[in-house]
Amino acid sequence: MPTYRTVVRPEWIDYNEHLRDAFYFLIFSYATDALMERIGLDEIGRASTGHTLFTLEAHINYLAQATLGDPLEVRTRFIDRDRKRLHIEHSLHHGAGGQLLAVSEQMLMNINFHTSKACGFAASVEQRLDALVPEHSGATHPGYCGRMIAIRR
Amino acid sequence: MPTYRTVVRPEWIDYNEHLRDAFYFLIFSYATDALMERIGLDEIGRASTGHTLFTLEAHINYLAQATLGDPLEVRTRFIDRDRKRLHIEHSLHHGAGGQLLAVSEQMLMNINFHTSKACGFAASVEQRLDALVPEHSGATHPGYCGRMIAIRR
């Protein structure tokens, strides 16, 4: 999986002078776009299949801050899949030192955008997934997937 | 709790012509800013206490789409709190029909921004929480809090 790379932009900084929580999520969203390109759901692929991916559900853990100009890198792993869903982990790293800044577990659903209904992946997409998933599975960051949120006492 | 209101902006629309996943999260982030104002952690309160809130962890479920110009409303409920953490639920609704569009469960941590360390809420903030929390607790959206992400077979 090619990593998705970006740099912290001025418009992403909040009053704490750090990357705002929602913009970590935006960077993960762009990484999902990069994943879509990789599996044949770029603009041409979406037009030819009539399919796109929707995010159904996401969980994010914030581990460290990022500030203006920091280079960032998202690495993506597959946790599970079925005929219409991808369960993935995006992790955000500092682009220079590699420090882990955030982890997001996400469930993505294949959608026919003409009907807005879930449907199985197109054969062309399945083929790419068959090649890509085994190579980029496992080795997620322990403790950040399968979490429930609670104050533990 | 006053609801946080906004309208879907052009820059929040993705290639599917809908509100991009990350911008639901940005709207929840702005609703957290509104909550901070309500509990005395607006700009003046942050300067006088030396404290701010960081998002530690968030879970979001996407339920329906929103498109350009849709009026939106975030309602916020308290699930739990301790001396330094707030466990909350933000729900996003269509501002006209009230339709539920997304739910986000979040854990927020009080932070001393001089040290970047967690610390107990300031007394002035505790007082406001004591008044606000009982009135705006419970009645979260069933099924969307305490979730783990998985493909269930």
Side-chain angles (χ1 to χ4, degrees):
Chain A
M1 185 76 66
T3 53
Y4 172 76
R5 291 195 176 82
T6 188
V7 168
V8 178
R9 302 177 193 170
E11 64 269 29
W12 293 350
I13 297 296
D14 69 6
Y15 47 75
N16 292 320
E17 293 176 22
H18 295 117
L19 181 60
R20 181 186 274 269
D21 56 1
F23 294 115
Y24 286 72
F25 202 95
L26 182 61
I27 293 162
F28 288 135
S29 185
Y30 291 151
T32 297
D33 292 353
L35 169 64
M36 290 176 66
E37 286 181 22
R38 200 54 203 276
I39 63 174
L41 287 173
D42 57 355
E43 191 173 356
I44 292 169
R46 290 195 299 271
S48 69
T49 59
H51 295 177
T52 187
L53 296 187
F54 279 8
T55 307
L56 284 189
E57 186 167 2
H59 194 121
I60 183 167
N61 280 269
Y62 293 93
L63 306 176
Q65 298 163 22
T67 55
L68 184 60
D70 277 349
L72 301 176
E73 184 180 297
V74 179
R75 303 173 191 164
T76 303
R77 311 291 296 174
F78 295 98
I79 298 171
D80 198 3
R81 71 184 261 219
D82 67 4
R83 52 179 288 278
K84 59 184 177 182
R85 285 176 293 186
L86 295 177
H87 181 184
I88 64 164
E89 183 208 67
H90 287 312
S91 58
L92 183 69
H93 301 259
H94 193 279
Q99 186 195 2
L100 184 63
L101 305 178
V103 179
S104 183
E105 183 185 11
Q106 304 199 351
M107 187 72 79
L108 310 176
M109 175 75 89
N110 192 61
I111 298 282
N112 178 322
F113 57 72
H114 300 296
T115 62
S116 289
K117 304 272 185 214
C119 65
F121 293 112
S124 56
V125 173
E126 281 283 3
Q127 274 178 2
R128 287 172 181 245
L129 285 170
D130 288 345
L132 203 62
V133 170
E135 198 183 334
H136 301 283
S137 289
T140 55
H141 293 84
Y144 301 114
C145 290
R147 282 181 66 91
M148 283 195 303
I149 296 179
I151 294 179
R152 291 168 183 89
R153 295 181 167 90
Chain B
M1 187 76 66
T3 53
Y4 171 75
R5 291 195 177 81
T6 189
V7 168
V8 178
R9 303 179 194 170
E11 64 268 29
W12 294 350
I13 297 297
D14 68 6
Y15 47 75
N16 292 318
E17 294 178 21
H18 294 117
L19 181 60
R20 180 187 274 268
D21 56 0
F23 293 115
Y24 287 72
F25 201 97
L26 182 61
I27 294 162
F28 288 136
S29 185
Y30 291 151
T32 297
D33 291 353
L35 169 63
M36 290 176 67
E37 288 183 18
R38 200 52 202 278
I39 63 173
L41 287 173
D42 56 354
E43 192 174 352
I44 293 170
R46 290 194 300 272
S48 67
T49 60
H51 295 178
T52 188
L53 296 187
F54 279 8
T55 307
L56 285 190
E57 185 167 3
H59 193 120
I60 183 166
N61 281 270
Y62 294 92
L63 306 175
Q65 298 163 22
T67 55
L68 184 61
D70 277 348
L72 301 175
E73 183 180 298
V74 179
R75 302 173 193 164
T76 303
R77 311 290 295 174
F78 295 98
I79 298 170
D80 198 2
R81 71 183 261 219
D82 66 5
R83 51 179 286 279
K84 59 185 178 182
R85 285 176 294 187
L86 295 176
H87 182 185
I88 63 166
E89 182 209 66
H90 288 312
S91 58
L92 183 68
H93 301 259
H94 194 279
Q99 186 195 0
L100 185 62
L101 305 178
V103 179
S104 182
E105 183 186 8
Q106 304 199 351
M107 188 72 77
L108 310 176
M109 176 74 91
N110 192 63
I111 299 282
N112 178 322
F113 58 71
H114 300 297
T115 62
S116 289
K117 302 274 182 214
C119 64
F121 293 113
S124 57
V125 173
E126 281 284 3
Q127 273 180 3
R128 286 171 184 247
L129 285 170
D130 288 344
L132 203 62
V133 170
E135 197 183 337
H136 301 283
S137 287
T140 55
H141 293 85
Y144 299 114
C145 290
R147 281 180 67 90
M148 283 194 303
I149 296 179
I151 294 180
R152 290 167 183 89
R153 294 181 167 90

